[in-house]
Amino acid sequence: MLRSCTDHGTLVLVYREAGQGLISRRRFLRRAGVIAAAVSMERAAVASGMAPPSTALDPNKLKPYVDPLPLPAVMKSSGVRPDPEDATKQIPVYCVAMEEIHQRVHRDLPPTRMWGFNGTSPGPIFETRSGQGLMVEWTNHLPAKHFLPIDHTLCGAEKDQPEVRCVIHLHGGRTPAKSDGYPEDWVVPGKSFTYHYPNRQDAALLFYHDHTMGINRLNIYAGLQGLFFIRDEAEDALNLPKGKYEIPLMLCDRFLRSDGQLEYPVSGDEKKPWVPEVYSNVMLANGRLAPYLDVEPRKYRLRVMNGSNGRFFRLSFGDLLEMNIIGGDQGLLPAPVKAKRALLTPAERADIVFDFSQHAGEKIILKSDSFDIMQFRVSASKTTDDSSLPSTLRPVERIPEASAIKTRRLTLDETMNDVQESMGMMLNKTPWHAPVTEKPVINTTEIWELVNLTEDTHPIHLHMVRFQLLDRRRFDVFGFQDTGELRYTGRPISADPEEAAWKDTVRCEKGHVTRIIVPFAGYTGRYVWHCHLLEHEDNEMMRPYDVVEA
Ligand code: C2O
Ligand code: CU
């Protein structure tokens, strides 16, 4: 049964990572000359406190590695329907319900209230092939009241809006606009919507998640996300580890109270509970705290996705054992990249081959910096491994810069709302409801220069398209703010080797201009682009964009 959402008195805003704290933000705002900011940030800093509240769960008091890693079930279709693009064809249809669930995150904790899909969070996995279209009937079976603290001052989450709303977006999907999960296309409990996913794109790990205007950070935090695999022949031909040797891994951090229940941090200002970022005390792998996985001494393929609201993962195995990164957001790299760490911002994916063959009988911990996430228990007995790790994977032809017909300069901003004396995020200093300013023409290529004027790193995501990262380059931030002129202060830094695959989310570091080159191939219509730090996205660091006919 539902409790009202008023039992969220506790205040949490802790576990910030070095360099991303309130102090640096405050310094930035002061330097930017915004006096009101200092007042409001002072309040936030006092309110946030720097220690976990007494109700916080201490994950170190729980016995680690007592629960097996949950492997999400594969979604089953419930029949066929005529293909909306070609009525002579039938394509599978899936019925998926968003509902409240109670799921154990650890053997010694009571079940945690979450929101999931068909009974689990993360939801069941979609398995499909390139060009194999499918339909999903998404039904909102959620309760009428939200159990996480809504901020009614945020755009789209005003008091007159229904509390519980949801709409689902397939992240990384080349999806027609009307099935893309536009943030304002939400439905209330009892309602459903049917979307069509043509999947005309390369093999990749996509994911589906809530995208509701103004509360998407809460809906996802509650558990509304799941993985979606597209396969193709080029990938099959590589003979990579598959079946039980391919492990889906959705990682996220969550703040848990000592009673095992989810807590979403609030600012302490009752009227404006929104917090700028969330870093929590517990790491979950496929929804489980410190699970283990029994593996054989052979190669495994790990399909990892960062499902956190705000945390970046820097993954490593054991004492920095070598892994092979074979792909990113939108599919395979041209060749494996040997690495000791894999950096994933929220929504980024890594395709990793790890070879346990030299570790028979050992236990290997998957970590993110100082956090232990899960344990691999390698069996002592020999096995055969007929999978391969080819030295070349899939060509990723670099798009020549000269093919771009337009270059857009777009800023990432942190702003102050004078009326509410509160901080906001924006793209190109333009609020969500302003008329559409980005209108790329279908089947043309553009360069987007993402000019980061803030003190944060932002993972920027464009719907519908895939793109390539050109470079990142330091520039004079304050000079730009004063004069509007872009003066570079460093040489272009090329993409990391593991960023050389097609991407849909890019890390825009502070103090840098990040340039991406984007072929607008696929569908015309209205889409969005936004920061995938969900707190930013919900506070208008999101803009619509239109793909238009020539
Ligand atoms: Cu992960 Cu707008 O999406
Ligand atoms: Cu952001």
Side-chain angles (χ1 to χ4, degrees):
M1 278 276 93
L2 271 180
R3 280 179 284 157
S4 84
C5 57
T6 51
D7 54 3
H8 286 275
T10 339
L11 184 68
V12 198
L13 178 61
V14 286
Y15 306 108
R16 294 177 154 273
E17 280 157 353
Q20 296 191 322
L22 286 165
I23 303 306
S24 65
R25 184 186 299 280
R26 211 155 74 193
R27 194 188 333 117
F28 167 76
L29 289 168
R30 283 220 177 109
R31 192 162 166 190
V34 185
I35 303 304
V39 179
S40 134
M41 293 319 295
E42 208 80 67
R43 207 188 291 140
V46 171
S48 69
M50 284 302 145
S54 55
T55 55
L57 176 80
D58 179 357
N60 299 315
K61 293 208 174 112
L62 289 170
K63 195 156 197 278
Y65 319 129
V66 292
D67 293 290
L69 175 75
L71 295 170
V74 173
M75 200 79 88
K76 288 202 184 61
S77 97
S78 54
V80 291
R81 279 198 199 166
D83 185 336
E85 289 178 4
D86 175 0
T88 65
K89 273 201 330 206
Q90 302 272 315
I91 55 174
V93 61
Y94 296 75
C95 296
V96 183
M98 284 76 89
E99 55 199 4
E100 184 158 289
I101 58 173
H102 291 85
Q103 186 174 285
R104 231 176 252 284
V105 306
H106 185 278
R107 183 192 70 183
D108 299 328
L109 286 176
T112 303
R113 166 161 57 170
M114 297 181 195
W115 288 357
F117 297 91
N118 290 357
T120 64
S121 173
I125 289 177
F126 283 90
E127 273 287 354
T128 190
R129 296 189 64 84
S130 178
Q132 171 62 63
L134 59 88
M135 317 264 293
V136 182
E137 183 174 341
W138 302 100
T139 305
N140 182 345
H141 278 314
L142 295 165
K145 278 202 157 293
H146 216 298
F147 73 105
L148 298 175
I150 294 175
D151 185 331
H152 293 292
T153 69
L154 295 182
C155 179
E158 295 82 3
K159 279 234 166 65
D160 59 353
Q161 300 292 333
E163 221 172 81
V164 174
R165 304 169 278 134
C166 68
V167 62
I168 303 298
H169 166 62
L170 176 59
H171 181 118
R174 182 179 286 172
T175 306
K178 63 178 188 307
S179 292
D180 195 52
Y182 195 69
E184 292 171 344
D185 287 348
W186 44 264
V187 299
V188 295
K191 299 276 185 230
S192 67
F193 49 100
T194 301
Y195 278 177
H196 172 223
Y197 303 104
N199 304 319
R200 277 192 215 95
Q201 57 192 103
D202 288 352
L205 168 58
L206 315 183
F207 65 107
Y208 58 98
H209 62 78
D210 181 78
H211 218 303
T212 306
M213 197 71 202
I215 53 168
N216 133 95
R217 72 195 183 292
L218 306 176
N219 289 356
I220 293 178
Y221 194 86
L224 291 180
Q225 51 186 350
L227 302 175
F228 189 112
F229 285 91
I230 298 180
R231 316 282 184 178
D232 68 12
E233 275 158 29
E235 181 192 36
D236 293 346
L238 297 173
N239 188 36
L240 294 161
K242 57 174 175 287
K244 62 176 176 167
Y245 305 114
E246 184 188 36
I247 308 296
L249 216 45
M250 179 178 272
L251 306 179
C252 66
D253 69 337
R254 291 291 181 266
F255 194 88
L256 287 188
R257 301 194 302 241
S258 49
D259 61 359
Q261 299 308 305
L262 280 176
E263 174 100 5
Y264 182 87
V266 290
S267 68
D269 176 349
E270 250 172 65
K271 286 204 205 79
K272 177 106 194 121
W274 178 85
V275 294
E277 276 114 29
V278 171
Y279 304 107
S280 312
N281 60 343
V282 161
M283 307 293 132
L284 300 178
N286 294 347
R288 203 61 59 99
L289 202 170
Y292 69 87
L293 181 70
D294 287 318
V295 296
E296 297 168 22
R298 52 159 286 153
K299 289 190 290 301
Y300 276 75
R301 183 177 183 194
L302 306 170
R303 311 296 299 271
V304 194
M305 182 251 152
N306 182 351
S308 301
N309 282 37
R311 179 178 296 280
F312 295 10
F313 285 114
R314 201 198 325 255
L315 301 175
S316 61
F317 291 86
D319 268 334
L320 295 184
L321 297 169
E322 189 171 84
M323 63 181 111
N324 290 280
I325 303 179
I326 63 165
D329 307 337
Q330 284 282 324
L332 292 161
L333 281 157
V337 172
K338 290 198 184 312
K340 295 193 164 152
R341 290 196 170 95
L343 176 61
L344 284 183
T345 66
E348 280 189 304
R349 285 86 78 202
D351 196 345
I352 295 170
V353 171
F354 189 83
D355 191 350
F356 293 99
S357 63
Q358 300 307 306
H359 303 283
E362 293 175 24
K363 294 186 168 78
I364 293 176
I365 308 292
L366 175 68
K367 307 180 188 186
S368 175
D369 290 330
S370 56
F371 287 100
D372 294 349
I373 295 175
M374 65 170 288
Q375 181 191 58
F376 295 96
R377 293 182 187 162
V378 193
S379 65
S381 52
K382 278 217 176 67
T383 40
T384 52
D385 182 356
D386 53 9
S387 71
S388 329
L389 177 59
S391 57
T392 58
L393 299 163
R394 175 173 218 149
V396 179
E397 212 184 301
R398 304 314 297 175
I399 312 166
E401 283 187 39
S403 67
I405 61 155
K406 194 179 181 95
T407 296
R408 292 178 199 268
R409 180 167 295 167
L410 300 157
T411 57
L412 316 183
D413 320 292
E414 198 167 68
T415 57
M416 288 307 298
N417 179 325
D418 295 341
V419 184
Q420 292 161 347
E421 266 191 27
S422 62
M423 192 173 61
M425 309 286 165
M426 249 181 244
L427 296 171
N428 225 28
K429 300 202 165 61
T430 317
W432 167 256
H433 280 301
V436 174
T437 38
E438 278 58 62
K439 297 180 183 175
V441 173
I442 185 86
N443 297 324
T444 66
T445 296
E446 296 190 358
I447 291 174
W448 285 23
E449 295 178 344
L450 303 166
V451 181
N452 188 348
L453 300 176
T454 76
E455 282 274 301
D456 288 321
T457 296
H458 305 269
I460 297 293
H461 169 51
L462 277 66
H463 283 209
M464 207 278 283
V465 292
R466 60 179 190 172
F467 55 75
Q468 294 176 1
L469 169 55
L470 290 172
D471 51 34
R472 300 184 175 94
R473 194 167 180 185
R474 267 198 185 285
F475 72 107
D476 175 3
V477 177
F478 294 106
F480 185 91
Q481 281 168 332
D482 288 346
T483 65
E485 257 163 62
L486 181 58
R487 192 176 66 82
Y488 285 111
T489 55
R491 304 199 146 280
I493 305 161
S494 47
D496 295 340
E498 63 272 24
E499 292 175 311
W502 287 97
K503 292 192 62 63
D504 57 45
T505 306
V506 66
R507 195 176 80 238
C508 295
E509 289 176 2
K510 64 175 178 180
H512 288 76
V513 174
T514 303
R515 294 193 315 139
I516 56 173
I517 187 160
V518 194
F520 288 88
Y523 301 91
T524 55
R526 177 146 305 172
Y527 293 94
V528 298
W529 68 289
H530 60 88
C531 178
H532 223 289
L533 299 182
L534 302 179
E535 284 61 37
H536 296 187
E537 174 183 349
D538 266 348
N539 199 353
E540 298 201 53
M541 201 166 189
M542 174 164 75
R543 283 284 292 153
Y545 84 91
D546 285 346
V547 182
V548 299
E549 299 286 356

